[in-house]
Amino acid sequence: MPYRRPRGTQDILPAEAAKWQAVEATFREICERFGYGEIRTPMFEQTELFVRSVGESTDIVAKEMYTFTDRGGRSMTLRPEGTAPVVRAYLENGLYAQGGVQKFYYLSAIFRYERRQEGRYRQHHQAGIEALGSLQPSLDVEVITLGLTYLSAVGLDEVELLLNSIGCPRCRPVHREALRAYLRDRLDHLCPDCQRRFEVNPLRILDCKVPTCQTATQDAPVMLDYLCSECAEHFTAVRKGLTDLEVAYTLQPRLVRGLDYYTKTAFEIAHPALGAQNVLLGGGRYDGLVEQCGGPPTPGIGFGSGLERVLLALEKTGRTVSLSPRPRLYIAAVSPPERVQAQQLAWQLRREGLRVELDHEGRSLKGQMRQANRLGAALVLLLKEDELAAGQVTLRDMRRGEQELVPLEGLPERTIRQLGHSHRW
Ligand code: HAM
């Protein structure tokens, strides 16, 4: 086989796709319940958008973007995250002019050139939300609870919510200097990546997973102790809001997100069944991003959740997700001449909304019945020449193992009734 799919990507085959559909449908349903509307943005954007918003020194921009020059000589990048494109669309379409809080959700493919490991892909898919236009802590609480509701609705309850505040451009520089002063004597103990981070983004060192870095930074000053009064008050209100709703969380002063646009609230939801890549969902506030992208000062908050990781967690915990099982109707032709009527009837019933299968491989009647069984068909219509001539067909209920002769007239209504209200799926 000369061709293979690119490293770090997946083919989602029908059996697996059914699970994806179930998770995606659940996410949509929960978002709509919380008042979020879908937004779809292009799969690629001007490179500069991501460089400026995600930040030049981040791993994403420095090492992981799929960037190319298009035929017009412009630098383009496959979407490496979902927030900047939403902010760009919000500005470009003048949505800020409508005022108030605007709430969006998306299901998007995301591209990052990552080192291959479990739970990490070069094309992954995020279920994400963004809420723009309010600094109220109640919005932080809404965004976090939406994430928890979604995970619980797909069957992941035993998750851990990790919470931190990473301050704002006013209080962060003070902490950064304190952190640098602390780390200066410990530079030798840091991994090469962190030695580079020391200059450009020392905060990220706190989040490094390399054990020597973790030991070296054990008592490092954390942002929480340096919050300005505005950030501290905001964080207290977010914590109170969560407590008022009896949402449990763990304060995680070392939680640092990997993108530069974050301010104030930062959070992650992790699952114990996953290994190193155990974060199912991550997000936070980005109160300066809209302005940085050329818009009016507008606060924002959101999260992104990897669908692959959610599915992996479901698999590891032995949960199954699926849409309600789809009853099927199978149309069998007893002899070759009835195949024409089988096709006519199949088309008619499919247009009526029924899920219908029939043979395309010239199977015998026995072969067709076997196929109907394999597909899990609830009903089988048997088309026989003499019965058809009398305007009738045999309808076999596969679950009960009973069959009866029924008139062709009114057949769609009859089968729909028999399959119950969920026949459309
Ligand atoms: P992020 O933490 O980079 O944030 O990604 C969000 C989630 O996407 C992660 O928690 C993880 O579940 C999943 N994820 C990330 N990278 C991969 C990968 N290589 N393979 C599989 N899954 C992955 C963002 O992207 C922000 N835009 C989230 C956000 C929205 N913040 C505010 N609004």
Side-chain angles (χ1 to χ4, degrees):
M1 242 273 300
Y3 306 113
R4 300 191 159 273
R5 60 174 183 268
R7 241 168 204 270
T9 64
Q10 283 182 290
D11 295 316
I12 316 292
L13 306 179
E16 200 59 24
K19 297 181 198 159
W20 284 70
Q21 286 177 16
V23 173
E24 288 165 355
T26 306
F27 180 68
R28 283 178 194 283
E29 151 77 23
I30 303 295
C31 287
E32 301 282 349
R33 259 192 242 171
F34 278 72
Y36 288 67
E38 185 177 6
I39 185 164
R40 300 186 189 206
T41 62
M43 202 170 279
F44 60 96
E45 300 267 358
Q46 286 173 319
T47 301
E48 199 52 28
L49 172 68
F50 298 116
V51 174
R52 292 201 39 152
S53 57
V54 177
E56 226 153 340
S57 66
T58 60
D59 284 353
I60 296 178
V61 171
K63 306 195 271 200
E64 299 171 357
M65 293 206 301
Y66 280 89
T67 298
F68 61 97
T69 307
D70 75 6
R71 287 173 188 271
R74 303 170 201 92
S75 179
M76 295 290 169
T77 293
L78 297 185
R79 174 172 52 208
E81 66 96 41
T83 309
V86 171
V87 167
R88 198 259 319 127
Y90 172 79
L91 289 175
E92 190 168 346
N93 296 285
L95 298 180
Y96 56 88
Q98 296 171 16
V101 184
Q102 306 235 357
K103 309 200 282 191
F104 310 97
Y105 77 86
Y106 50 84
L107 284 158
S108 300
I110 306 283
F111 303 87
R112 295 181 189 173
Y113 193 84
E114 302 239 35
R115 249 173 311 148
R116 185 71 196 93
Q117 56 173 283
E118 190 179 55
R120 229 184 215 183
Y121 299 90
R122 290 189 177 166
Q123 174 178 337
H124 74 274
H125 299 79
Q126 278 188 24
I129 67 167
E130 311 294 346
L132 294 153
S134 170
L135 195 58
Q136 291 293 323
S138 59
L139 187 60
D140 304 44
V141 173
E142 178 179 280
V143 164
I144 292 171
T145 49
L146 194 164
L148 289 166
T149 311
Y150 154 61
L151 293 174
S152 163
V154 295
L156 297 172
D157 284 305
E158 51 295 271
V159 294
E160 188 180 17
L161 168 63
L162 306 167
L163 191 68
N164 193 17
S165 174
I166 53 171
C168 69
R170 240 173 306 133
C171 45
R172 214 142 42 191
V174 187
H175 170 250
R176 192 184 302 134
E177 280 327 301
L179 185 60
R180 277 220 184 92
Y182 170 90
L183 290 170
R184 200 156 280 129
D185 302 335
R186 298 169 169 81
L187 267 182
D188 294 347
H189 304 287
L190 301 181
C191 71
D193 269 346
C194 282
Q195 292 187 357
R196 185 175 56 83
R197 288 177 185 137
F198 177 77
E199 289 304 332
V200 291
N201 194 355
L203 199 59
R204 285 284 287 159
I205 299 176
L206 294 181
D207 193 37
C208 182
K209 303 284 180 283
V210 176
T212 49
C213 293
Q214 290 192 344
T215 330
T217 59
Q218 228 160 26
D219 321 304
V222 292
M223 193 56 231
L224 272 186
D225 296 328
Y226 288 79
L227 296 180
C228 63
S229 56
E230 188 196 305
C231 289
E233 272 167 37
H234 191 272
F235 194 51
T236 304
V238 172
R239 293 179 62 179
K240 177 173 183 313
L242 290 171
T243 306
D244 287 345
L245 297 183
E246 294 176 19
V247 173
Y249 63 87
T250 307
L251 205 58
Q252 177 56 275
R254 299 170 72 97
L255 178 96
V256 180
R257 307 270 304 126
L259 303 93
D260 280 356
Y261 50 61
Y262 288 113
T263 52
K264 293 190 169 66
T265 314
F267 60 93
E268 289 183 345
I269 301 179
H271 197 283
L274 298 179
Q277 303 303 317
N278 67 350
V279 181
L280 294 177
L281 184 156
R285 280 206 161 265
Y286 43 86
D287 295 334
L289 183 58
V290 176
E291 200 174 0
Q292 201 188 322
C293 291
T298 311
I301 176 166
F303 69 69
S305 171
L307 277 163
E308 288 81 357
R309 294 208 190 154
V310 165
L311 288 161
L312 206 60
L314 286 168
E315 194 184 303
K316 295 216 167 176
T317 51
R319 306 277 148 77
T320 48
V321 275
S322 64
L323 296 171
S324 51
R326 307 168 173 194
R328 295 166 198 252
L329 182 77
Y330 191 92
I331 302 184
V334 172
S335 60
E338 288 93 70
R339 287 182 178 266
V340 177
Q341 280 112 315
Q343 185 130 43
Q344 284 168 345
L345 202 53
W347 196 28
Q348 185 193 350
L349 294 172
R350 281 168 173 163
R351 278 178 297 177
E352 297 281 345
L354 280 149
R355 197 152 185 258
V356 181
E357 272 298 347
L358 73 170
D359 170 55
H360 291 294
E361 292 163 70
R363 290 184 173 88
S364 65
L365 180 61
K366 207 165 142 200
Q368 291 177 64
M369 292 309 286
R370 227 182 274 130
Q371 191 192 15
N373 244 328
R374 207 175 40 246
L375 293 173
L379 297 177
V380 175
L381 284 175
L382 285 154
L383 271 48
K384 256 189 230 153
E385 198 177 0
D386 52 341
E387 290 175 4
L388 282 173
Q392 293 179 313
V393 288
T394 297
L395 179 62
R396 185 175 172 80
D397 187 320
M398 300 292 275
R399 283 172 290 202
R400 291 205 211 105
E402 295 162 4
Q403 63 183 49
E404 57 180 329
L405 209 55
V406 300
L408 268 173
E409 177 95 27
L411 190 64
E413 296 75 20
R414 182 184 198 100
T415 43
I416 286 170
R417 221 175 25 248
Q418 201 150 339
L419 287 167
H421 65 278
S422 60
H423 69 277
R424 278 171 201 281
W425 273 102

